[in-house]
């Protein structure tokens, strides 16, 4: 493992902002992970893990760290739908592989950017499916001991855009492999109303995959070099899930602001909570699609995506996201949570996105 020095990170992220990594290493072999961790430990350097860079916002100063990317990319079927997938496999390539073999379980997650190793982090989900439905175990290297550990699905504490890897185990592991349990010959999951409406007759996995990608394309939710909204991290905020009393307060507030026929959408979530679309709140707070402040703005196709129009800095993106958050809170009293991981910032630089 010989890391390169001073490597630009912006081109390795979908937002295309942020400064360089002091050191960077792409690791082709899983054994290299422990070696890279030891290399950093000898130099007292922190380690950051980067996948496809589609859910991170890196500070303009860059990262004074060893940044590693796991590039190992084997897919090893184990029979009966079980499959081991290395962290460096492109997520969508894995979905395509599963669909081509007629193995159900990840078809609705077609078109999500990034690597397999990052998928458990926030329990990626879309169109009524979440990766936690098929993950059997996550294999990782413990960053402190350098030892390989197996984390069974039950211990991953998967929730809506959430897992143990964002909380108790934050920064503890480098994921090197994920074991999935797919369903050979199983039916596609068609439960999301928008997907149900778009599927006409043929309910095969291949059709569902194609339809999901088409739906996503209309919202600039697939990476496409020709798309003006392409420099984003997908949804910048997660949909708030509210306690019953908080949801009742929101309904009152929305009625006061917008009148009786406001049409606030809401969906039941686990634990008696109610999920409200952040996109609706942002639009109704007055920051609709295409809202622009210089180099940054809201995607013209999706009010939850914040885009870099080409020359933005990380600080401009943070300031704009903070404005969106402040505006929603001011109008409706709901505090949005940013979805991308913010890397390399001082706490006072991101306070307006966290407090
Ligand atoms: C256009 C677009 C659409 C999107 N749509 C969706 C969607 O529909 N649903 C959804 O859930 N997400 C969506 N996302 C977000 C993103 O694609 C997912 O979160 C994805 O899993 C991130 O993968 P990545 O490899 O790019 O991770 P990165 O952005 O590189 O990293 C994300 C986090 O995971 C950590 N990480 C990455 N790899 C590892 C590893 N091997 N071990 C330990 N930690 C690791 C990083 O340190 C970081 O904290 C979208 C993003 C974009 C740009």
């Amino acid at each position: 493992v010989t890391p390169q020095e001073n490597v630009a990170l912006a081109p390795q992220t979908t937002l295309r902002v942020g400064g360089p990594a002091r050191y960077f290493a792409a690791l082709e072999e899983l054994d290299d992970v422990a070696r890279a961790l030891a290399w950093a430990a000898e130099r007292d350097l922190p380690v950051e893990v980067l996948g496809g860079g589609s859910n991170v916002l890196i500070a303009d100063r860059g990262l004074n760290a060893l940044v590693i990317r796991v590039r190992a990319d084997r897919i090893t079927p184990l029979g009966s739908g079980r499959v081991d997938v290395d962290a460096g496999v492109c997520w969508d390539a894995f979905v395509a592989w599963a669909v081509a073999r007629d193995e159900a379980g990840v078809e609705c997650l077609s078109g999500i950017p990034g690597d397999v190793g990052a998928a458990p982090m926030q329990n990626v989900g879309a169109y009524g499916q979440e990766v936690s439905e098929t993950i059997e175990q996550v294999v990782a290297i413990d960053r402190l001991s350098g030892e390989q550990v197996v984390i069974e699905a039950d211990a991953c504490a998967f929730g809506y855009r959430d897992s143990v890897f964002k909380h108790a185990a934050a920064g503890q592991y480098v994921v090197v492999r994920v074991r999935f349990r797919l369903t050979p010959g199983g039916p596609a999951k068609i439960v999301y109303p928008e997907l149900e409406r778009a599927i006409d007759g043929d309910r095969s996995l291949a059709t569902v995959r194609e339809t999901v990608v088409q739906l996503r394309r209309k919202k600039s939710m697939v990476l496409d070099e020709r798309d003006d909204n392409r420099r984003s991290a997908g949804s910048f905020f997660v949909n708030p899930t509210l306690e019953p009393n908080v949801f009742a307060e929101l309904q009152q507030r929305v009625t006061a602001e917008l009148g009786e026929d406001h049409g606030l959408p809401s969906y039941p979530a686990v634990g008696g909570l109610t999920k409200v679309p952040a996109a609706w709140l942002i639009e109704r707070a007055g920051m609709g699609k295409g809202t622009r402040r210089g180099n940054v703005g809201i995607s013209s196709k999706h009010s939850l995506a914040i885009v870099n129009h080409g020359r933005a800095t990380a600080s401009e993106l943070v300031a704009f996201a903070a404005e969106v958050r402040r505006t929603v809170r001011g109008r409706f009293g709901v505090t949005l949570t940013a979805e991308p991981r913010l890397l390399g910032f001082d706490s006072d630089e991101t306070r307006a996105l966290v407090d």
Side-chain angles (χ1 to χ4, degrees):
V1 179
T2 315
Q4 295 168 267
E5 233 176 308
N6 203 25
V7 173
L9 291 177
Q12 300 196 51
T13 73
T14 56
L15 274 167
R16 297 280 195 273
V17 297
R22 180 157 166 214
Y23 295 101
F24 180 87
L27 309 173
E28 307 290 337
E29 295 298 329
L30 298 185
D31 289 347
D32 291 340
V33 174
R35 285 192 204 108
L37 293 170
W39 186 93
E42 278 161 26
R43 290 158 181 83
D44 242 349
L45 271 172
V47 174
E48 296 285 358
V49 191
L50 193 67
S54 63
N55 212 21
V56 289
L57 170 48
I58 294 175
D60 295 314
R61 69 171 69 81
L63 302 177
N64 183 19
L66 167 65
V67 176
I68 58 174
R69 180 163 185 196
V70 182
R71 298 308 307 245
D73 63 354
R74 279 159 302 218
I75 301 184
T76 315
L78 306 168
S80 311
R82 289 160 84 224
V83 52
D84 276 343
V85 188
D86 286 351
V89 171
C90 162
W91 170 260
D92 193 52
F94 167 56
V95 176
W97 179 91
V99 167
R101 287 168 61 101
D102 199 31
E103 301 199 354
V106 288
E107 59 284 349
C108 299
L109 307 178
S110 295
I112 298 181
D115 294 354
V116 164
M121 294 293 133
Q122 68 156 2
N123 181 18
V124 293
Y127 294 94
Q129 196 164 57
E130 288 182 331
V131 74
S132 57
E133 295 166 34
T134 42
I135 289 184
E136 197 170 277
Q137 57 178 225
V138 173
V139 180
I141 306 293
D142 186 303
R143 292 208 206 181
L144 277 183
S145 67
E147 298 292 322
Q148 183 167 305
V149 292
V150 174
I151 307 146
E152 299 295 338
D154 284 350
C156 291
F158 288 123
Y160 165 62
R161 295 298 171 280
D162 208 16
S163 75
V164 73
F165 306 109
K166 282 176 128 184
H167 302 285
Q172 196 178 337
Y173 299 117
V174 180
V175 174
V176 293
R177 199 183 313 126
V178 181
R179 178 171 296 174
F180 297 87
R181 185 190 280 276
L182 304 171
T183 309
K189 188 171 187 189
I190 309 174
V191 294
Y192 196 78
E194 188 189 2
L195 179 59
E196 220 154 30
R197 284 193 296 274
I199 294 281
D200 177 21
D202 177 5
R203 299 168 78 86
S204 67
L205 298 180
T207 300
V208 168
R209 171 168 166 77
E210 224 172 85
T211 308
V212 165
V213 170
Q214 276 168 16
L215 292 172
R216 294 182 66 95
R217 200 174 287 285
K218 288 191 202 148
K219 302 177 196 165
S220 298
M221 282 292 115
V222 287
L223 296 179
D224 180 350
E225 273 313 307
R226 295 157 301 180
D227 188 333
D228 290 342
N229 296 301
R230 68 187 172 281
R231 297 181 208 88
S232 85
S235 300
F236 200 92
F237 296 103
V238 294
N239 293 319
T241 44
L242 307 175
E243 298 284 348
N245 58 328
V246 181
F247 178 58
E249 275 168 36
L250 172 64
Q251 282 179 307
Q252 281 172 12
R253 185 91 175 246
V254 171
T255 306
E257 292 280 338
L258 304 175
E260 283 294 340
D261 53 353
H262 50 70
L264 167 69
S266 63
Y267 309 92
V270 282
L273 304 179
T274 302
K275 193 193 279 185
V276 173
W280 191 94
L281 297 172
I282 293 170
E283 278 186 22
R284 298 305 189 283
M287 301 195 74
K289 296 188 183 90
T291 301
R292 192 160 171 171
R293 305 274 185 269
N295 294 321
V296 299
I298 291 181
S299 161
S300 63
K301 305 241 196 75
H302 187 24
S303 31
L304 248 192
I306 291 182
V307 299
N308 161 13
H309 282 296
R311 291 213 208 111
T313 61
S315 350
E316 285 173 299
L317 279 158
V318 169
F320 182 69
E323 182 191 342
V324 173
R325 191 168 179 264
R326 204 167 48 239
T327 306
V328 169
R329 180 148 65 185
R331 185 105 200 244
F332 300 124
V334 172
T335 301
L336 297 177
T337 303
E339 185 186 294
R341 281 284 314 280
L342 304 164
L343 299 179
F345 294 90
D346 293 336
S347 53
D348 58 329
E349 292 172 305
T350 53
R351 188 159 296 139
L353 271 183
V354 181
D355 282 354

